[in-house]
Amino acid sequence: MNLKITNCLTALLLAGVFCFAQSDNNVVEDFKPSPVNQPGREYPMVNSEGRVRVQISAPNANSVQLDIGAVKYDLVKDENGVWTGESAPQDEGFHYYQLNIDGASVPDPGSLFFYGASRWGSGIEVPAHDQDFYALKNVPHGQVREHIYFSETNQSTRRCFIYTPPGYDKNLTKRYPVLYLQHGGGENETGWSAQGKAGLIMDNLIAEGGAKPFIIVMANGNWRMPRPPAGERPSGPWPPSGWADGFMKSLLNEIIPMVDTNYRTIADQNNRAMAGLSMGGMQTRVITLANPDVFSQVGMFSGGSISLEDVEKSPGFKKNVKLLFISYGSRELENPRRGPWGDPKENTEALKADGMNTHFYVSPNTAHEWQSWRRSLYQFAQLVFQN
Amino acid sequence: MNLKITNCLTALLLAGVFCFAQSDNNVVEDFKPSPVNQPGREYPMVNSEGRVRVQISAPNANSVQLDIGAVKYDLVKDENGVWTGESAPQDEGFHYYQLNIDGASVPDPGSLFFYGASRWGSGIEVPAHDQDFYALKNVPHGQVREHIYFSETNQSTRRCFIYTPPGYDKNLTKRYPVLYLQHGGGENETGWSAQGKAGLIMDNLIAEGGAKPFIIVMANGNWRMPRPPAGERPSGPWPPSGWADGFMKSLLNEIIPMVDTNYRTIADQNNRAMAGLSMGGMQTRVITLANPDVFSQVGMFSGGSISLEDVEKSPGFKKNVKLLFISYGSRELENPRRGPWGDPKENTEALKADGMNTHFYVSPNTAHEWQSWRRSLYQFAQLVFQN
């Protein structure tokens, strides 16, 4: 409260009446440009409470709103036709948002753009107390490579991004384990390296000796569903053997062989991991349960869990899988809903009691959002390929 | 004209009164979604005349405009609050544009976003008669790598993109020439591989044997200007030795050594080229004239030219430079302005008459825009490293 008063007094001296308008809302006036603004842009800004303040010139508009976290906040117009306003405090980390101008939902031209919610749109970064682990530092950096390939399964040209660790191009005889890391629903192959900061998380961990260097493959998991054979009506439920089949087939038959051919991988089960967030976690669940001879390390971030019953139905899973990592944002667990796979913590503890190497991680004070998944990757990366 | 009438009749049958509104403008009703739309988006669209049609829902707006090619076109609102309208015909190729909603200039949420005009914003692709040379095909693809590094010169972490040709990771003993390829003013290191389609141009050329495989380095050429020594006032003009010095120092002292250390380059003058568009062409001019011992092949796309007098002032340039390629869009030459470097065609022909291997290319029916530069790279890539 002292901070707010001090700031208000400073603002009063600087801005006169403006301070009174803002002080009614108890907004702390220490806004700074978001770290993911476009070059040279002052707005959007974020304050120490995590409030997001946007500003846009729209002199002829009737109404402008900030649309973030499923809430629309009204902006206020000044005498120059510039609209300004802010949100309630947001969680630490990355959030998608947009502006609404007289009913049109549009990206904020001040922010960088990210793919999520099935669109390229604005993103904001609320500085986090633990942001050091994904900060851009003067350490050796790996590379993120755009890898274009033709998929016979999908009959289309597709793209994945591949992280190769620092030093990959120096020692040309060294081979590396591989993590297949999947995005969530409404996202694509760009998510993990852009808003997920996977490359920076790994660079920093490797620099301090906190993780074994490994390759990360970030493929597009949005996959055309299988179709009934031409001219035939499906007998029984369709798709016949699960919604993840399209991506599973492509991953097993195309992507993994392509990666093992083109990169210096250690091409065995012991050195192959799969993880994903949300939909990607659910894909990880289906694919690794069906293929415990292919993957030895499994991570599911906000994407369900694996139960004793699941393991009993998957021959080889218990014996072959050396790491099972399940995580959630704490806010996802505040109103626990037992999904089709049961309570994630109970499931994971039951498997641990049964002798599996399982880990359950909860990201503090975050929801179903990227800060949970950055932290999950940070935790998972320190555990994977250690056995 | 027949085409227009036929289309109008078709539209009349399909859409009734709508046709009359449009037929006044003689708009050919064969619009298709732009190839650089966001996934699943119908708008923006482009027709066979090169008109750009945009559409956005803005039920409470007073006015919506399409802002493209420095012209603002009014959109028309329908009874559902959806605004639609189109531009005059645009040149073939890629164009930046934006929407204006009640005075607010914003990206079109239907398009992908590109960096140009000093912002991330909307882009549109007008299909070109020669678009096959940069089409995404089922051919072996090189990779575009994000390379992060710390610049001592700039005291900041910077980024470049590196294209490695198909097969780079297969034959680990093969070494390659390198082209340093620069973007224009208001653009950045993403331009050449995104809207410039440099990777696809090279993949296609290499697949048909039309170009020698080489590495392309696309660095950020926006560089902090040198400052006077602390506490001193500059004596004479500042910056002391040219506006391109900052980038030149970084290129010569940091970027080239970094590339030669981390990639399998042929690290000599004979296998090192520099080219750029607009500002990048001007940087290429200054840097190669000052360093003919470093570069043997020079390309300037819509970025000036090199005169006999320039060459006479640069010891070694005539002897050491094996290729000088100058290009412009035809519309840039329609109203010839003699810049500080003279008439580009005359300059280039004078150097050819003097015995240098020069080429002058004009991109048909394009202006100072990406289609000129895609074609320029396509031409240059077939000439470079052939001697």
Side-chain angles (χ1 to χ4, degrees):
Chain A
M1 202 55 197
N2 276 342
L3 179 65
K4 286 180 187 174
I5 290 167
T6 310
N7 272 290
C8 184
L9 284 171
T10 309
L12 177 66
L13 294 170
L14 292 171
V17 72
F18 181 68
C19 177
F20 292 105
Q22 293 300 323
S23 63
D24 288 339
N25 296 322
N26 286 322
V27 172
V28 179
E29 285 298 335
D30 57 358
F31 286 89
K32 297 197 180 92
S34 159
V36 292
N37 278 6
Q38 294 202 21
R41 303 301 165 97
E42 195 183 9
Y43 286 88
M45 303 183 102
V46 183
N47 77 353
S48 56
E49 301 171 285
R51 290 185 202 266
V52 174
R53 176 174 282 171
V54 294
Q55 182 173 92
I56 190 165
S57 171
N60 307 318
N62 304 307
S63 161
V64 181
Q65 293 175 309
L66 161 62
D67 181 356
I68 187 168
V71 177
K72 288 180 179 162
Y73 301 89
D74 289 324
L75 275 58
V76 175
K77 184 178 172 179
D78 72 11
E79 67 275 18
N80 299 314
V82 176
W83 298 73
T84 308
E86 59 274 319
S87 73
Q90 305 292 308
D91 286 341
E92 293 184 334
F94 178 88
H95 306 279
Y96 303 114
Y97 77 102
Q98 61 187 355
L99 301 181
N100 191 287
I101 303 174
D102 284 344
S105 291
V106 292
D108 180 348
S111 86
L112 293 178
F113 303 127
F114 303 85
Y115 195 73
S118 299
R119 65 169 187 246
W120 284 96
S122 289
I124 190 108
E125 189 73 55
V126 176
H129 75 281
D130 57 347
Q131 63 189 1
D132 187 66
F133 79 83
Y134 52 86
L136 174 59
K137 300 179 190 175
N138 185 7
V139 297
H141 291 282
Q143 294 181 346
V144 176
R145 306 176 180 200
E146 182 189 43
H147 188 119
I148 297 170
Y149 65 100
F150 185 79
S151 163
E152 293 288 345
T153 307
N154 200 252
Q155 284 296 306
S156 67
T157 305
R158 295 181 69 88
R159 179 172 77 161
C160 58
F161 286 93
I162 311 240
Y163 170 82
T164 55
Y168 183 87
D169 287 292
K170 287 289 181 62
N171 180 347
L172 297 183
T173 59
K174 187 170 163 61
R175 304 187 77 89
Y176 298 85
V178 185
L179 165 63
Y180 293 83
L181 183 62
Q182 290 305 122
H183 59 81
E187 297 174 337
N188 69 12
E189 72 275 18
T190 64
W192 267 113
S193 55
Q195 59 268 46
K197 298 190 180 282
L200 296 179
I201 291 170
M202 292 308 304
D203 293 344
N204 291 339
L205 266 175
I206 292 167
E208 62 192 29
K212 201 165 167 174
F214 52 86
I215 293 166
I216 304 179
V217 178
M218 296 162 278
N220 187 318
N222 300 311
W223 206 258
R224 195 188 290 167
M225 294 292 265
R227 289 175 184 166
E232 292 180 27
R233 295 189 59 169
S235 57
W238 193 265
S241 45
W243 61 276
D245 271 17
F247 181 61
M248 179 157 67
K249 277 184 192 157
S250 177
L251 180 62
L252 297 180
N253 302 335
E254 294 181 331
I255 299 174
I256 292 176
M258 176 182 82
V259 169
D260 284 337
T261 302
N262 288 281
Y263 297 84
R264 300 197 315 277
T265 64
I266 310 173
D268 62 25
Q269 183 260 0
N270 200 43
N271 289 282
R272 196 178 294 122
M274 183 172 183
L277 73 91
S278 194
M279 177 185 85
M282 299 180 216
Q283 289 171 324
T284 299
R285 182 181 177 280
V286 171
I287 292 171
T288 59
L289 278 169
N291 299 278
D293 53 329
V294 178
F295 303 94
S296 61
Q297 333 257 327
V298 177
M300 295 164 58
F301 313 156
S302 306
S305 61
I306 289 178
S307 68
L308 260 175
E309 293 71 24
D310 293 326
V311 169
E312 280 160 11
K313 286 186 209 146
S314 167
F317 193 89
K318 182 179 170 183
K319 176 169 156 277
N320 290 342
V321 169
K322 302 296 192 297
L323 170 68
L324 174 61
F325 177 95
I326 306 290
S327 70
Y328 274 92
S330 67
R331 301 203 199 287
E332 297 183 272
L333 303 173
E334 284 169 9
N335 299 302
R337 292 172 304 172
R338 284 182 171 261
W341 309 294
D343 180 89
K345 186 160 184 245
E346 287 172 18
N347 276 346
T348 309
E349 285 173 352
L351 289 178
K352 192 182 219 52
D354 195 43
M356 287 194 73
N357 176 28
T358 67
H359 293 258
F360 189 73
Y361 170 73
V362 178
S363 164
N365 303 315
T366 59
H368 195 75
E369 59 197 1
W370 275 100
Q371 192 70 2
S372 303
W373 306 323
R374 291 170 176 168
R375 288 173 179 162
S376 295
L377 176 61
Y378 178 68
Q379 298 295 328
F380 181 71
Q382 298 175 65
L383 298 168
V384 73
F385 304 127
Q386 297 291 334
N387 34 45
Chain B
M1 202 56 196
N2 277 342
L3 180 65
K4 285 179 189 174
I5 289 167
T6 309
N7 272 289
C8 185
L9 284 171
T10 309
L12 176 66
L13 294 170
L14 292 171
V17 71
F18 180 68
C19 178
F20 291 106
Q22 293 300 323
S23 63
D24 289 339
N25 297 322
N26 288 321
V27 172
V28 178
E29 284 298 334
D30 58 357
F31 286 89
K32 296 196 179 93
S34 160
V36 291
N37 278 7
Q38 294 202 20
R41 303 301 165 99
E42 196 182 7
Y43 287 89
M45 302 183 103
V46 183
N47 77 353
S48 56
E49 300 171 286
R51 289 185 201 267
V52 174
R53 178 174 282 172
V54 294
Q55 183 173 91
I56 189 164
S57 171
N60 307 318
N62 303 308
S63 161
V64 181
Q65 294 175 309
L66 161 62
D67 180 357
I68 187 168
V71 177
K72 288 180 179 162
Y73 301 89
D74 288 325
L75 275 57
V76 176
K77 184 178 172 178
D78 73 10
E79 66 275 17
N80 299 314
V82 176
W83 296 74
T84 308
E86 58 274 319
S87 73
Q90 306 292 307
D91 287 341
E92 294 183 333
F94 178 88
H95 306 279
Y96 303 113
Y97 77 102
Q98 61 186 356
L99 300 181
N100 190 288
I101 303 174
D102 284 344
S105 291
V106 292
D108 180 348
S111 86
L112 294 179
F113 303 127
F114 303 86
Y115 195 74
S118 299
R119 65 168 186 246
W120 284 95
S122 289
I124 190 107
E125 189 73 54
V126 176
H129 74 282
D130 57 347
Q131 62 189 2
D132 188 67
F133 80 83
Y134 52 85
L136 175 59
K137 299 180 190 175
N138 186 7
V139 297
H141 290 282
Q143 295 181 345
V144 176
R145 307 176 178 199
E146 181 190 41
H147 188 120
I148 297 170
Y149 65 100
F150 185 79
S151 163
E152 294 288 344
T153 308
N154 201 252
Q155 283 296 306
S156 67
T157 305
R158 295 180 70 87
R159 179 171 77 159
C160 58
F161 286 93
I162 312 241
Y163 169 82
T164 55
Y168 184 87
D169 287 293
K170 288 288 181 64
N171 180 347
L172 297 183
T173 58
K174 187 169 163 63
R175 305 186 77 89
Y176 298 86
V178 185
L179 165 63
Y180 293 83
L181 183 63
Q182 290 305 123
H183 59 82
E187 297 174 338
N188 68 13
E189 71 276 17
T190 64
W192 267 113
S193 56
Q195 58 267 47
K197 299 191 180 280
L200 297 179
I201 291 170
M202 291 309 304
D203 293 344
N204 293 339
L205 267 176
I206 292 167
E208 62 192 29
K212 200 165 169 175
F214 52 86
I215 294 167
I216 303 180
V217 178
M218 296 161 280
N220 186 319
N222 300 312
W223 206 257
R224 195 188 290 166
M225 295 292 266
R227 289 176 183 164
E232 292 180 28
R233 296 188 59 169
S235 57
W238 192 267
S241 45
W243 61 277
D245 272 18
F247 181 61
M248 178 158 67
K249 276 185 193 156
S250 177
L251 180 62
L252 298 180
N253 302 336
E254 293 181 332
I255 299 175
I256 292 176
M258 176 182 82
V259 169
D260 284 336
T261 302
N262 288 282
Y263 297 84
R264 299 196 315 277
T265 65
I266 310 173
D268 60 27
Q269 184 260 0
N270 200 42
N271 289 282
R272 197 177 292 121
M274 183 172 183
L277 73 91
S278 194
M279 177 186 84
M282 300 181 215
Q283 289 172 324
T284 299
R285 182 180 177 281
V286 170
I287 292 171
T288 60
L289 278 169
N291 299 278
D293 54 328
V294 177
F295 303 95
S296 61
Q297 333 257 328
V298 177
M300 295 165 59
F301 313 156
S302 306
S305 61
I306 289 178
S307 69
L308 261 175
E309 292 72 25
D310 291 328
V311 170
E312 279 160 11
K313 284 187 210 146
S314 168
F317 193 87
K318 182 179 169 181
K319 175 168 157 279
N320 290 342
V321 170
K322 302 296 193 297
L323 170 67
L324 174 61
F325 176 94
I326 306 291
S327 71
Y328 275 92
S330 68
R331 301 201 200 288
E332 297 183 272
L333 303 173
E334 283 168 8
N335 299 302
R337 292 172 305 172
R338 285 182 173 262
W341 309 294
D343 180 89
K345 187 160 185 245
E346 286 172 18
N347 276 346
T348 308
E349 285 174 352
L351 289 178
K352 192 182 220 48
D354 196 43
M356 286 194 74
N357 177 28
T358 68
H359 292 258
F360 188 72
Y361 170 73
V362 178
S363 164
N365 303 314
T366 60
H368 196 74
E369 58 198 1
W370 275 100
Q371 193 68 2
S372 303
W373 307 323
R374 291 169 176 169
R375 289 174 179 162
S376 295
L377 176 62
Y378 178 68
Q379 298 295 328
F380 182 71
Q382 298 176 65
L383 298 168
V384 73
F385 304 127
Q386 296 292 334
N387 34 45

